[in-house]
Each structure stands twice: as C-alpha cells, then as structure tokens.
Amino acid sequence: QLPLEERLVLNYQLAVSCFACLDFMTTWFNLFSLIAGDVLGFFGLILLIGPICGMIGANTLSRNIVAVYLGFCLAKVAWEVFLAIFLGFHYFWWFLWFWLVAVVQVWIAKVVATFWLALGKLESGRRKQLANYSEPPAQMVYW
C-alpha cells in the first residue's frame, strides 16, 4: 500500500498525460482555425511545445518539465483570451470558440498545478521509482 502522497502523484500522472493530449489537440485545432503563414499561427505552433512537455513530464514524473508545461498552460490561457478579444470583435463564433478553449485550458492548468505541487512533496529518487510503478493501477482524477 502506497502512502497518500504517492497515490496522489500516480493518479495525477494519468490525468496530466490525458489532459496533455487534449491540450495538444485543442492547440492543433486552433492552428487550423488561423490563417496559414500568419504570425498568430506561428505563435500557436510554439504553444505545442507545452503539451509535449506535459506528456514527457507526466511519464517521467519530472517536476521541472511539468513546471514548463504549467508555464505554457498559463501562457495559452492568456493567448486564448487575447484571440477571443482580438478576433471576437469581428466574428462572434470565434469569440465563443476561443473562450471555450480558454476555460478548458484553465481547467487543465489547475490539474497540472496540483500535479506539480504533489510532485514537490516527493523526493527525486522516489519520483524516479514511481515513474515505473504499475500496481495498483492509477485512478483518473478530473479536478
């Protein structure tokens, strides 16, 4: 039986892995929604680095890489709000889309922040051991 802190880390590991995939997809969809070759699209492409760090950080239980992902999550919230305001004055449906994505991103950022804090309660050596731990299976947390 694992201590509560370690079970929490394993549960959030699964959640952050799943949410990083969701984050990657929403970022990718936003790239398609912007005009190709536009500066906005290029900045959106840079934001794909965050979810990739999230997947890597969750799988390796690396607190530093998860911190990079958390930073990208917060940057993406600001980016989505900017797009909602910038494009929302011209197209109402874009406004709604970008606000929806921003709300989802706040949710993802909260889960990532909780995971990052939980990782900080474990020693580095123990995190490395838990990265390969398979029993008992983790339970998905949504908040």
Side-chain angles (χ1 to χ4, degrees):
Q1 186 76 359
L2 293 174
L4 178 62
E5 294 84 15
E6 293 178 2
R7 282 185 287 150
L8 185 68
V9 164
L10 292 176
N11 291 342
Y12 273 97
Q13 177 187 31
L14 178 61
V16 169
S17 294
C18 292
F19 288 139
C21 291
L22 174 67
D23 190 11
F24 186 87
M25 290 186 294
T26 59
T27 304
W28 192 252
F29 290 145
N30 275 350
L31 289 176
F32 283 119
S33 68
L34 296 172
I35 299 171
D38 194 332
V39 174
L40 297 177
F42 177 72
F43 186 72
L45 183 63
I46 291 172
L47 291 175
L48 286 174
I49 295 169
I52 292 169
C53 286
M55 288 182 257
I56 293 169
N59 288 333
T60 62
L61 297 181
S62 170
R63 191 167 192 243
N64 293 335
I65 297 175
V66 171
V68 170
Y69 181 40
L70 180 57
F72 271 93
C73 286
L74 298 175
K76 190 172 175 199
V77 169
W79 174 247
E80 296 298 337
V81 169
F82 166 78
L83 289 176
I85 293 169
F86 181 70
L87 296 176
F89 288 121
H90 305 290
Y91 308 102
F92 179 72
W93 295 111
W94 285 119
F95 177 80
L96 291 178
W97 170 253
F98 289 124
W99 275 108
L100 174 66
V101 174
V103 168
V104 169
Q105 194 62 42
V106 167
W107 177 33
I108 291 171
K110 187 273 178 204
V111 171
V112 173
T114 304
F115 180 55
W116 180 77
L117 289 170
L119 284 173
K121 295 178 181 177
L122 300 179
E123 294 182 15
S124 177
R126 185 60 182 149
R127 287 195 306 259
K128 289 178 184 175
Q129 292 173 342
L130 284 176
N132 298 317
Y133 193 78
S134 60
E135 293 193 20
Q139 296 176 349
M140 181 74 162
V141 290
Y142 299 101
W143 190 251

